[in-house]
Amino acid sequence: MTIQMRVYVPPHPLIKHWLGVARDAGTPPALFRSAITELGRWLTYEACRDWLPVVETTIETPLAPCPATFVNPEVPVVVVPILRAGLALMEGVQPVLPLAAVYHLGMVRDEETLEARCYLNKLPDQIDPQTRVLICEPMLATGGTIMATMAMLTERGVDPGLIRILSVVVASPALQKLSQVYPSLNIYTACIDESLNENGYIVPGLGDAGDRAFAT
């Protein structure tokens, strides 16, 4: 059987609502941050389904023994927010995965070449191959930043099949690049937009997520 990358767009009314708020050009920065935070929360909930390892055990309720299922604390879970805009998604991710380790990556895109450059890398030299990794990147446009991020993670031993990417809006160019190199990858997003403009921005998209989130 051929392995094919999967892109999930959960049909949740709250995800659709907060996407609309984030897309609106009239949304002020404080409300935009709230929208991205809420999208991070609900998309993380969806991404954790059938992904977090669990253990089965028996507990005592006040009345009787009862089977119980818990998230396995021995399997590492890591969140990788891509600065700056990934920080807004993190506000929604952390309440869902409060025990996850957080490794920050700072990436900047050259506006002329559209190539990504890393200016901050807090990844360890080696990562346990069982680790579940959740990448927070609000927009996947040309694919340069996310491809560089994936390369850094896989070089450190991460299994692409155990990675989930959280994004608000994605576009075809990034998805095509990822699917060719990482077919076992899973992406969770609020929407798929088809095109990019001449500056490499997603259309209709939601503008520059970092600038809008932090009013800079």
Side-chain angles (χ1 to χ4, degrees):
M1 176 187 284
T2 302
I3 299 175
Q4 187 173 9
M5 187 182 79
R6 295 183 177 182
V7 182
Y8 296 89
V9 183
H12 197 295
L14 289 174
I15 291 176
K16 294 178 180 179
H17 170 85
W18 289 112
L19 173 63
V21 174
R23 281 196 192 271
D24 191 338
T27 297
L31 182 55
F32 182 85
R33 283 196 305 274
S34 294
I36 300 300
T37 295
E38 289 300 323
L39 287 165
R41 186 191 323 277
W42 295 109
L43 288 169
T44 300
Y45 173 84
E46 294 289 343
C48 288
R49 194 188 307 271
D50 301 322
W51 180 61
L52 291 176
V54 298
V55 291
E56 307 291 340
T57 186
T58 300
I59 60 171
E60 291 285 339
T61 78
L63 299 177
C66 175
T69 303
F70 293 99
V71 175
N72 189 343
E74 296 182 1
V75 177
V77 178
V78 164
V79 180
V80 180
I82 299 178
L83 310 186
R84 290 178 302 162
L87 293 176
L89 276 176
M90 270 296 298
E91 294 297 316
V93 173
Q94 282 192 300
V96 183
L97 298 173
L99 301 182
V102 179
Y103 299 139
H104 295 85
L105 274 180
M107 305 289 284
V108 63
R109 186 174 74 169
D110 186 304
E111 294 304 327
E112 293 185 2
T113 66
L114 303 183
E115 294 295 321
R117 177 178 61 83
C118 181
Y119 64 87
L120 175 70
N121 183 347
K122 302 301 288 185
L123 296 174
D125 293 335
Q126 196 67 28
I127 299 175
D128 187 321
Q130 295 186 82
T131 301
R132 273 60 174 172
V133 177
L134 189 69
I135 302 173
C136 297
E137 172 64 308
M139 306 189 75
L140 304 182
T142 64
T145 295
I146 195 63
M147 289 295 289
T149 300
M150 287 294 300
M152 285 188 277
L153 287 169
T154 54
E155 286 167 2
R156 288 164 169 79
V158 176
D159 178 357
L162 298 180
I163 294 175
R164 299 285 186 270
I165 296 175
L166 236 62
S167 194
V168 176
V169 181
V170 303
S172 296
L175 297 180
Q176 290 170 1
K177 289 179 182 178
L178 287 167
S179 65
Q180 290 171 4
V181 183
Y182 305 107
S184 61
L185 192 61
N186 289 269
I187 298 171
Y188 289 78
T189 181
C191 187
I192 301 174
D193 285 347
E194 289 300 321
S195 62
L196 305 178
N197 65 15
E198 64 277 6
N199 297 316
Y201 283 92
I202 301 175
V203 179
L206 46 80
D208 188 303
D211 287 353
R212 294 191 65 192
F214 300 105
T216 55

